[in-house]
Amino acid sequence: MTTFADRPLEEQIAQWRAYVRRRQALHGPDVEELEGHLRDQLAALTEAGLSGDEAFLIAVKRMGSLDALSREFARAHSERLWKQLVIAPDADKSANTAYAEALVVLGLAVAAALAVKVPALFGHPLNPNDELPLFYARNASLFVFPLLTVYFMWKRGLGVVSGLWLALPFAAGAVFANVFPFQNPERLDNFPAGSDTQVLTILHLPIALWLAVGFAYVRGRWFADGGRMNFVRFSGELAIYYVLIALGGGVLTGFTFMMFAAIDLKADWFVAGWLIPCGAAGAVIIGSWLVEAKQSVIGNMAPVLTRLFTPLFTILLLVFLATMAWTGSPINVKREVLIGFDLLLAVVVGLVLYAASARDPEAPPDFFDGLQVLLVVSALVVDGVALWAITARISEFGFTPNRVAALGENLILLVNLAWSAWLYARFLRQRGSFVALERWQIAYLPVYSVWAALVVVVFPPVFGYR
């Protein structure tokens, strides 16, 4: 069996971190704290003249038995073992700190809700009897993401200088989303036939700005593997919470219509003008707070969701490829179809990420790993077919904003899926480490945001805002 000392130092730390994560009493922030102590020990020992392997072994020894440490954390954080859907202060927080956080979150949620209504003061009203103005679609992420970043800055203790740096991408996003002279810029009913570059901005600006939220989440330590993977988990868990809140909001909306109808009044003005837009904005802040408060519980969703949806998406992709081969029908290269395919492939990449976050790197390959490889290879083939269709369309009809954006996104996904398949295959043949796959996935994350930023900033002027 390969030992810690047989590996490079960073890989040894990654293996140690994976072992600590398996302790049920520990979750993301605890692991980060322990890793920080370990790295401090390593720095001191290497400065004293020890080699990396020697320093690592001594540092781990000094930190004591991890099993004993896990039991100590279980005693200190006993609330985490039984709290489920009831908000309770963490064991390492005072009641005053928890109360202050609740007030901060509530204030930011109200601010996000009111931010949606502020444009009405400047000639951009939300009319419940008309289509949504494209102004709101372009700026949807700007109503919420800056406030979510403020929450993480407050929670992580980031300073003013860090806040100024994090404000830059949001300021730039606001400028590019509202200064460019897009064609047909007014109403959402022009969404299918309006400005292609404006639609691309609506779709890509949230992706580009989400990276800024990630920097605040990881305290600016983006190149620390543990922080990036924790942000991946947070993103997936926030999506789950947001869907649950949205379902509850749908029930609330239905009851609102029913109650007002009982007194012969229409509630359209309240639901479309206040309840839905303000609730959708505030729910992002509340959902993020819930994820932070329930890390130890929701963290267990990663392996469950991965093992549930991996076989389902694998079957879906295989059936699609078999049907396309049987019928000989090519992919219809329309914007809505391309968006759907890109979302499907992004979900596959997300499943691979969650598999990497939930798997024990020390465990040998098993059946589920083979299923993951089949999923990645199937997605790779689908992506190749989509790229072929896009390239053929471009060669026949020329370049358009949609085709170029789709071409770039599918090329990015192709590289990710191809290298993931290669790393997974090496791992199955026991010629490579699973840690290499995990590192590749989290190192590749900024590529998506960088491409999204290019689409928002470069595409409108290059294509004449059409």
Side-chain angles (χ1 to χ4, degrees):
M1 180 178 178
T2 306
T3 62
F4 276 129
D6 297 326
R7 302 186 177 94
L9 183 58
E10 282 300 321
E11 187 172 346
Q12 293 178 41
I13 295 175
Q15 299 287 352
W16 175 88
R17 183 171 59 246
Y19 175 79
V20 174
R21 284 176 182 168
R22 298 199 298 274
R23 306 298 93 186
Q24 294 182 353
L26 306 177
H27 59 54
D30 299 326
V31 176
E32 284 189 21
E33 182 180 353
L34 290 174
E35 184 180 346
H37 292 319
L38 177 65
R39 289 184 180 275
D40 291 341
Q41 291 277 354
L42 287 173
L45 291 169
T46 52
E47 287 178 2
L50 296 180
S51 67
D53 292 340
E54 293 171 338
F56 178 80
L57 293 174
I58 294 174
V60 171
K61 184 67 176 178
R62 286 182 178 179
M63 294 186 68
S65 168
L66 287 176
D67 286 333
L69 188 60
S70 180
R71 288 193 294 271
E72 181 64 29
F73 264 80
R75 288 192 294 270
H77 301 259
S78 58
E79 286 87 352
R80 295 177 187 164
L81 302 179
W82 54 265
K83 71 176 185 178
Q84 296 293 326
L85 295 177
V86 179
I87 302 295
D90 289 343
D92 59 348
K93 289 182 179 180
S94 65
N96 290 335
T97 303
Y99 181 70
E101 182 173 355
L103 289 180
V104 169
V105 170
L106 180 60
L108 291 173
V110 172
L114 294 178
V116 178
K117 303 298 295 183
V118 169
L121 302 176
F122 300 93
H124 298 282
L126 274 173
N127 189 344
N129 298 318
D130 200 355
E131 293 290 340
L132 181 70
L134 281 175
F135 171 85
Y136 285 91
R138 290 196 309 270
N139 292 276
S141 57
L142 294 168
F143 295 136
V144 182
F145 286 1
L147 295 170
L148 182 59
T149 303
V150 169
Y151 167 59
F152 286 126
M153 287 178 57
W154 176 84
K155 189 173 177 64
R156 306 292 192 253
L158 295 178
V160 177
V161 176
S162 299
L164 292 175
W165 279 109
L166 289 172
L168 288 178
F170 295 110
V175 169
F176 290 119
N178 296 284
V179 172
F180 281 152
F182 295 110
Q183 299 176 15
N184 300 322
E186 295 301 326
R187 312 302 306 177
L188 192 59
D189 52 7
N190 287 327
F191 188 90
S195 169
D196 290 340
T197 52
Q198 181 170 206
V199 174
L200 290 173
T201 297
I202 292 170
L203 295 173
H204 289 79
L205 185 59
I207 300 173
L209 296 181
W210 191 242
L211 185 64
V213 178
F215 269 92
Y217 182 90
V218 301
R219 300 186 182 96
R221 297 165 54 194
W222 184 256
F223 296 100
D225 293 351
R228 282 178 291 177
M229 186 55 76
N230 287 335
F231 182 62
V232 170
R233 294 192 189 94
F234 166 80
S235 301
E237 292 155 12
L238 175 59
I240 295 170
Y241 260 108
Y242 196 80
V243 169
L244 293 176
I245 294 173
L247 291 174
V251 175
L252 177 63
T253 301
F255 277 113
T256 301
F257 278 119
M258 180 195 71
M259 289 187 297
F260 277 87
I263 56 175
D264 297 325
L265 290 176
K266 290 185 177 182
D268 301 42
W269 66 271
F270 174 70
V271 172
W274 288 89
L275 182 61
I276 293 178
C278 295
V284 177
I285 308 295
I286 298 298
S288 301
W289 179 41
L290 292 176
V291 173
E292 286 284 285
K294 305 299 178 186
Q295 285 178 1
S296 61
V297 176
I298 302 300
N300 295 327
M301 284 189 178
V304 174
L305 293 178
T306 301
R307 292 187 175 271
L308 174 63
F309 285 103
T310 291
L312 295 178
F313 274 91
T314 304
I315 293 172
L316 171 64
L317 292 175
L318 291 175
V319 170
F320 170 76
L321 290 172
T323 304
M324 187 174 61
W326 178 266
T327 60
S329 300
I331 293 178
N332 187 1
V333 188
K334 291 184 178 180
R335 177 168 58 198
E336 293 77 10
V337 176
L338 292 176
I339 291 173
F341 269 97
D342 288 343
L343 287 175
L344 173 62
L345 295 174
V347 168
V348 172
V349 172
L351 288 173
V352 176
L353 268 170
Y354 264 70
S357 72
R359 194 188 190 284
D360 177 9
E362 289 289 325
D366 56 17
F367 171 78
F368 185 75
D369 292 312
L371 193 61
Q372 282 283 119
V373 174
L374 183 59
L375 172 66
V376 173
V377 172
S378 302
L380 185 60
V381 175
V382 171
D383 192 22
V385 173
L387 270 172
W388 179 267
I390 295 169
T391 304
R393 191 77 170 178
I394 290 175
S395 64
E396 183 176 359
F397 298 103
F399 291 95
T400 66
N402 290 327
R403 292 169 195 156
V404 176
L407 180 64
E409 288 156 6
N410 282 272
L411 283 174
I412 291 171
L413 289 167
L414 181 74
V415 173
N416 190 354
L417 291 169
W419 195 246
S420 297
W422 170 253
L423 292 175
Y424 240 130
R426 283 179 56 83
F427 173 68
L428 288 181
R429 297 197 304 268
Q430 298 184 346
R431 296 180 181 177
S433 169
F434 192 84
V435 176
L437 175 66
E438 180 178 357
R439 286 183 178 174
W440 161 253
Q441 289 293 335
I442 59 178
Y444 203 75
L445 284 176
V447 176
Y448 302 103
S449 292
V450 171
W451 175 252
L454 290 175
V455 171
V456 172
V457 175
V458 176
F459 276 36
V462 167
F463 288 99
Y465 310 102
R466 71 174 189 268

